[in-house]
């Protein structure tokens, strides 16, 4: 390298040494040192149009690849605009390193010098949506700070970590030599031995064990251990929206993801020992807090604040993967005969009970005049290749998918962590970029994004990003002329809806104005349209104008 190096070079060199390949963000005045340094390095930069969407894209990159998402932010308004996206990553446990620029050092300390983008304490704004926040005041501290941030991001509970670097620290010449290597290893987070042994004691006498698999199961890569434990115990398994895909959908013990159905609630309430992995038993998982388990609960989570936050139980603070592996091994050592022989739900084998409960759910749905919705979701599932990853916004289609989507060999991603609008399309862009970056070129990197017309408007500007980078993403927009789920909620609660109807653009013409191919089809044409989109090159849009209904909320029956 020739010429004078600065703090920006240290950022880029450290990220590259840690294995970063792609960065998301938007340039800004105080961050120019970062972007100038990228021109001397090997990082691939994906420029979004709104910082919140940059955060969603870095989130989607991490979810799709299992790698750390990296986000560069400008100061003040740029940094603040990212926070809603970071809330989703924080709530869902997505590892990210966020590097925000800052005003020059002389302006810090809440002095009101009138500098552009100045905040009293910028990093304090990120305190609710990141694991930690740190200001780097000297260039020599940059490599270690980024290495520490990366380590913290990948250590369970995973999540985004915030660093900020003043403009002059990024720009001033340095004497620090080029970064040659950096090492970040996740901190160990095993379960306590005595807690695992106590859990096995409970399970050894259980006749009706059951398992709720939350998002932490997937983040901890605990799927293999989950399957082994479930089969040993003959324990029915239900996945939360975040845990969707953690357990084989068509397994004879799989309750799939019908977590919002009262038939499921009643069955799980009857378990004498309930293992809850990577879930807080929160609003959705508890069928809107109607869930009243009568048995004992073993709750496993890497985040200590989650343990017993909704129900008392044996709380085991640990990474889900490590905890289930330890539990599986201890079961092998403790059980002298196949424990599954004990499994008996009041005279009914668990496999039969699972089959019967799923049949009850199916019958309930088929009694509600939901033929269009059931066919629509089935047509999407049939069109999507088994290995394709999907990204769902907060929209009626996604609420259906939370319960009915069989992820198969692909991964299911939604914004259910924080529940903000606008996640689907930018996260899908990040996911597709990540799959391309990590060796899945062309069609094998293609992903599907699903949005409603309301949520689509949050990220419509990212059509420019998708076009600029020729991202292989197909965007399905289900246009019902408003905030459909809020319309349904309000009509149900008050008899009428207020402020839910929306003027919206012609999405096909709008996409075409960005140079992105688009097509409008009737609901029964969605499958063929998606298949055509999946076979194409670069981004494309499928618009379906239809009004979908939700299935009846069963928690109101409780």
């Amino acid at each position: 390298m020739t010429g004078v190096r600065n703090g920006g070079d240290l950022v880029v060199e450290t990220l590259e040494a840690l294995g970063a390949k792609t960065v998301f963000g938007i340039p800004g005045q105080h961050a120019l040192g970062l972007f100038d340094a990228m021109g001397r390095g090997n990082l691939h930069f994906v420029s979004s149009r709104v910082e919140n969407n940059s955060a969603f894209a870095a989130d989607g990159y991490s979810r799709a690849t299992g790698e750390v998402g990296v986000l560069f932010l400008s100061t003040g308004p740029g940094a603040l605009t990212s926070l809603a996206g970071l809330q989703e990553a924080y709530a869902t446990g997505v590892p990210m390193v966020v590097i925000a620029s800052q005003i020059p050092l002389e302006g810090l300390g809440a002095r009101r010098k009138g500098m552009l983008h100045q905040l009293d304490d910028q990093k304090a704004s990120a305190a609710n949506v990141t694991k930690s926040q740190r200001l780097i005041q000297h260039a020599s501290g940059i490599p270690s700070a980024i290495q520490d941030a990366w380590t913290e991001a990948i250590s369970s509970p995973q999540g985004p970590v915030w660093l900020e670097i003043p403009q002059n620290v990024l720009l001033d010449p340095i004497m620090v030599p080029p970064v040659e290597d950096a090492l970040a290893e996740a901190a160990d987070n095993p379960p306590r031995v005595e807690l695992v042994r106590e859990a096995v004691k409970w399970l050894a006498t259980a006749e009706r064990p059951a398992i709720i698999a939350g998002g932490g199961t997937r983040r901890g890569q605990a799927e293999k251990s989950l399957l082994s434990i479930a089969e040993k115990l003959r324990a029915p398994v239900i996945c939360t929206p975040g845990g969707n895909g953690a357990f084989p959908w068509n397994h004879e013990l799989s309750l799939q993801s019908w977590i919002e159905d009262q038939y499921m609630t009643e069955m799980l309430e009857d378990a004498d020992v309930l293992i809850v992995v990577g879930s807080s038993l929160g609003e959705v998982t508890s069928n809107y807090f109607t869930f009243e388990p009568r048995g004992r609960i073993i709750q496993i989570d890497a985040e200590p604040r989650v343990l017993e936050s909704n129900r008392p139980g044996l709380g085991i603070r640990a990474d889900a993967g490590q905890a289930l592996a330890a539990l599986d091994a201890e079961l092998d050592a403790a059980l002298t005969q196949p424990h599954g022989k004990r499994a008996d739900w009041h005279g009914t084998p668990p496999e039969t009970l699972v089959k019967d409960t799923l049949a009850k759910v199916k019958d309930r749905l088929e009694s509600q005049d939901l033929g269009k919705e059931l066919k629509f979701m089935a047509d999407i599932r049939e069109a999507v290749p088994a290995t394709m990853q999907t990204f769902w916004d907060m929209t009626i289609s996604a609420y259906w998918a939370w319960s009915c989507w069989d992820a198969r060999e692909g991964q299911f991603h939604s914004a259910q962590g924080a529940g903000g609008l606008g996640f689907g399309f930018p996260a899908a862009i990040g996911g597709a970029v990540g799959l391309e970056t990590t060796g899945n070129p062309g069609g094998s990197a293609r992903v599907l994004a699903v949005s409603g017309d309301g949520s689509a408007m949050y990220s419509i500007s990212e059509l420019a990003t998708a076009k600029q980078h020729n991202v292989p993403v197909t965007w399905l927009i289900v246009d019902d002329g408003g905030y459909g789920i809020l319309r349904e909620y309000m009509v149900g609660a008050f008899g009428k809806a207020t402020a839910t109807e929306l003027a919206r653009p012609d999405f096909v013409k709008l996409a075409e104005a960005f140079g992105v191919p688009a097509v409008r089809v009737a609901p029964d044409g969605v499958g063929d349209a998606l298949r055509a989109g999946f076979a194409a090159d670069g981004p494309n849009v499928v618009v379906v104008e239809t009004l979908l209904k939700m299935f009846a909320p069963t928690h109101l029956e409780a």
Side-chain angles (χ1 to χ4, degrees):
M1 179 183 294
T2 60
V4 177
R5 295 170 58 256
N6 57 28
D9 291 294
L10 286 176
V11 173
V12 172
E13 291 164 5
T14 306
L15 290 171
E16 290 184 3
L18 287 164
K21 304 174 187 69
T22 301
V23 174
F24 298 87
I26 298 176
Q29 176 178 319
H30 297 114
L32 294 181
L34 285 175
F35 291 86
D36 177 57
M38 271 201 297
R40 295 186 288 276
N42 299 304
L43 293 175
H44 172 50
F45 181 66
V46 177
S47 178
S48 303
R49 299 302 183 269
V50 183
E51 285 87 357
N52 193 44
N53 295 331
S54 298
F56 282 141
D59 177 333
Y61 179 97
S62 179
R63 295 194 201 201
T65 65
E67 298 189 353
V68 175
V70 181
L71 177 62
F72 283 179
L73 296 172
S74 183
T75 316
L80 295 178
T81 303
S82 74
L83 297 184
L86 290 175
Q87 185 187 4
E88 175 59 37
Y90 183 57
T92 307
V94 178
M96 291 170 54
V97 170
V98 183
I99 298 177
S101 62
Q102 205 12 315
I103 60 174
L105 276 167
E106 64 183 88
L108 299 180
R111 302 193 224 12
R112 292 298 182 102
K113 297 178 74 72
M115 291 182 171
L116 186 70
H117 303 333
Q118 184 172 10
L119 291 168
D120 288 345
D121 186 353
Q122 179 175 278
K123 69 181 186 304
S125 303
N128 275 324
V129 295
T130 55
K131 288 183 69 175
S132 68
Q133 311 80 39
R134 178 176 173 183
L135 171 68
I136 303 172
Q137 300 192 47
H138 306 285
S140 60
I142 288 175
S144 294
I146 294 177
Q147 180 173 280
D148 290 348
W150 194 286
T151 300
E152 185 176 3
I154 62 176
S155 297
S156 62
Q158 297 178 341
V161 178
W162 180 281
L163 299 175
E164 53 188 50
I165 309 175
Q167 180 185 32
N168 57 306
V169 177
L170 289 171
L171 292 174
D172 289 348
I174 58 171
M175 63 181 73
V176 183
V179 178
E180 295 183 13
D181 62 78
L183 177 65
E185 295 183 348
D188 202 27
N189 193 0
R192 297 184 63 86
V193 173
E194 71 275 12
L195 296 177
V196 173
R197 290 175 180 164
E198 183 67 17
V200 168
K201 287 180 185 177
W202 292 13
L203 293 169
T205 59
E207 294 182 353
R208 301 184 305 282
I211 302 172
I212 295 176
T217 315
R218 290 172 60 192
R219 291 189 294 277
Q221 299 178 337
E223 294 90 343
K224 183 177 179 180
S225 296
L226 172 64
L227 178 61
S228 178
I229 291 169
E231 291 181 340
K232 277 189 181 73
L233 301 175
R234 290 174 68 203
V237 178
I238 193 166
C239 293
T240 71
N244 186 305
F247 195 75
W249 187 261
N250 292 315
H251 193 283
E252 62 182 354
L253 292 168
S254 175
L255 293 166
Q256 301 175 357
S257 291
W258 294 99
I259 198 82
E260 294 182 56
D261 189 279
Q262 194 63 27
Y263 289 126
M264 296 293 178
T265 304
E266 291 166 357
M267 179 180 169
L268 294 169
E269 285 175 339
D270 191 37
D272 55 2
V273 177
L274 182 66
I275 305 174
V276 181
V277 190
S279 169
S280 67
L281 288 180
E283 187 171 13
V284 174
T285 304
S286 65
N287 201 3
Y288 301 91
F289 298 116
T290 62
F291 180 43
E292 296 285 347
R294 297 185 291 276
R296 294 187 288 185
I297 295 175
I298 299 167
Q299 188 175 18
I300 299 167
D301 208 285
E303 171 53 75
R305 291 174 295 179
V306 165
L307 298 175
E308 300 189 78
S309 60
N310 282 303
R311 289 284 166 185
L314 181 66
I316 302 177
R317 193 224 67 184
D319 172 77
Q322 291 183 267
L324 288 191
L327 189 60
D328 191 31
E330 192 70 21
L331 280 169
D332 280 336
L335 302 178
T336 58
Q337 58 183 351
H339 182 71
K341 291 182 178 180
R342 297 181 60 93
D344 184 340
W345 292 68
H346 310 293
T348 301
E351 297 82 2
T352 302
L353 187 63
V354 166
K355 184 178 179 180
D356 292 347
T357 306
L358 289 171
K360 289 179 183 179
V361 174
K362 183 173 184 288
D363 289 345
R364 190 205 299 275
L365 293 172
E366 291 178 349
S367 72
Q368 294 179 24
D369 187 28
L370 295 168
K372 178 174 72 171
E373 288 77 8
L374 290 166
K375 183 178 186 303
F376 187 73
M377 296 304 298
D379 287 349
I380 298 173
R381 177 60 278 182
E382 184 180 353
V384 173
T387 58
M388 182 175 285
Q389 300 197 32
T390 59
F391 295 79
W392 302 74
D393 225 314
M394 297 295 286
T395 184
I396 288 178
S397 300
Y399 292 178
W400 270 98
W402 284 4
S403 295
C404 76
W405 188 260
D406 174 6
R408 299 183 183 172
E409 292 90 60
Q411 292 191 56
F412 173 84
H413 309 288
S414 79
Q416 54 81 35
L421 290 176
F423 166 86
F425 186 49
I429 289 174
V433 168
L435 291 173
E436 286 188 311
T437 303
T438 55
N440 295 271
S444 62
R446 181 166 294 277
V447 300
L448 172 68
V450 182
S451 301
D453 57 294
S455 57
M457 290 303 293
Y458 274 67
S459 47
I460 200 74
S461 61
E462 302 311 322
L463 282 167
T465 302
K467 177 64 177 178
Q468 179 175 336
H469 298 281
N470 197 40
V471 180
V473 56
T474 296
W475 191 11
L476 172 61
I477 300 175
V478 184
D479 183 356
D480 64 9
Y483 296 122
I485 192 66
L486 298 178
R487 176 196 291 136
E488 190 165 318
Y489 287 164
M490 291 190 76
V491 170
F494 311 117
K496 64 177 183 178
T498 303
T500 59
E501 306 315 297
L502 298 172
R504 72 275 194 201
D506 182 326
F507 285 107
V508 171
K509 289 182 178 178
L510 183 55
E512 291 174 342
F514 282 94
V516 175
V519 62
R520 181 182 291 104
V521 297
D524 59 6
V526 68
D528 289 340
L530 288 176
R531 278 184 280 268
F534 297 153
D537 179 59
N540 51 71
V541 175
V542 175
V543 179
V544 178
E545 293 183 2
T546 189
L547 177 62
L548 301 176
K549 297 184 297 183
M550 278 301 295
F551 50 83
T554 65
H555 65 280
L556 299 179
E557 301 172 11

